[in-house]
Amino acid sequence: MRIKSSTFITSATDVGSCPEPTVPELAFIGRSNVGKSSLLNLLTGRESLAKVSSTPGRTQLINFFNINDTFRLVDLPGYGYAKPLKHDRFRFQDMIVNYITGRVSLQRVLVLIDSRHSPHTIDVEFVQWLQGTQVPLALVFTKTDKLKPAPVEKNIADFLEATGGWKDEGPPIFRTSIKTREGRGELLSFMGQVLP
Ligand SMILES: Nc1nc2c(ncn2[C@@H]2O[C@H](COP(=O)(O)OP(=O)(O)OP(=O)(O)O)[C@@H](O)[C@H]2O)c(=O)[nH]1
Ligand SMILES: [Mg+2]
């Protein structure tokens, strides 16, 4: 898979304002600040296609990107963003749930998890919920440049154990870093495989 062109399409505030589901979509999801927008920029080779911020909860919309005029990458809002307004948090979660369960063009959900930490309850619960939806997923462990390989592997193994219930050999797993560019080639070829 080679990304020759990538352009921003639109930001949707809810499922009703998403573009028509006419082409396959791959969606990025994960806790706020895990590196969804950064990974999107790494994959497309465009430094500021998606907005990156050190302020958690920056991406509070569903952002659609047109890739090669053949498929879309979708940057979903971060979950687990503890904004003071409780109803805001729930609104974003509804938006995520509605998109994932209702989007006919969705091919794969890439769940990003910060490789620096031992399993976080909200990530475990989110992945367990996804397992129940039957939507195909992959796990992407981000920011591997921040730790040595051994603790990264320990965190991955602990996460797989905490989520459990995997059929056969479990989900595809990737390790990524925007600093070392680890995982870029692997993820791009995976995307080529899963797209129709
Ligand atoms: N060291 C390192 N930092 C990273 C990596 N990926 C992202 N970051 C940093 O983590 C912060 C958050 O990155 P974003 O890409 O904005 O994260 P996000 O998941 O899109 O965040 P929200 O839109 O708020 O949900 C930024 O300061 C990034 O520079 C990585 O692989 N390595
Ligand atoms: Mg973002």
Side-chain angles (χ1 to χ4, degrees), residues 92-141:
F92 300 140
Q93 290 183 338
D94 273 356
M95 193 161 135
I96 291 167
V97 166
N98 293 342
Y99 173 86
I100 289 176
T101 55
R103 190 74 173 164
V104 295
S105 48
L106 179 61
Q107 302 294 315
R108 182 73 60 158
V109 177
L110 301 159
V111 184
L112 276 64
I113 297 151
D114 194 326
S115 70
R116 293 175 295 176
H117 308 305
S118 48
H120 239 273
T121 308
I122 192 157
D123 289 328
V124 171
E125 285 177 354
F126 184 77
V127 168
Q128 286 173 334
W129 172 76
L130 255 188
Q131 287 173 319
T133 65
Q134 310 289 322
V135 173
L137 61 87
L139 302 179
V140 179
F141 291 86

Side-chain angles (χ1 to χ4, degrees), residues 155-172:
N155 290 337
I156 294 175
D158 288 351
F159 189 84
L160 290 175
E161 199 184 319
T163 43
W166 298 106
K167 288 194 195 93
D168 308 321
E169 76 271 28

Side-chain angles (χ1 to χ4, degrees), residues 37 51 59 75:
S37 303
K51 272 191 196 129
T59 313
D75 190 10

Side-chain angles (χ1 to χ4, degrees), residues 72-92:
R72 294 179 190 143
L73 292 179
V74 180
D75 190 10
L76 291 167
Y79 55 71
Y81 169 44
K83 219 188 168 204
L85 284 172
K86 240 189 176 173
H87 65 266
D88 253 3
R89 193 173 157 182
F90 287 129
R91 182 159 61 82
F92 300 140

Side-chain angles (χ1 to χ4, degrees), residues 33 35-38 50-53 58-59 63 75-76 78:
N33 215 44
K36 297 177 291 297
S37 303
S38 301
K51 272 191 196 129
V52 171
S53 173
R58 178 71 198 229
T59 313
N63 293 314
D75 190 10
L76 291 167

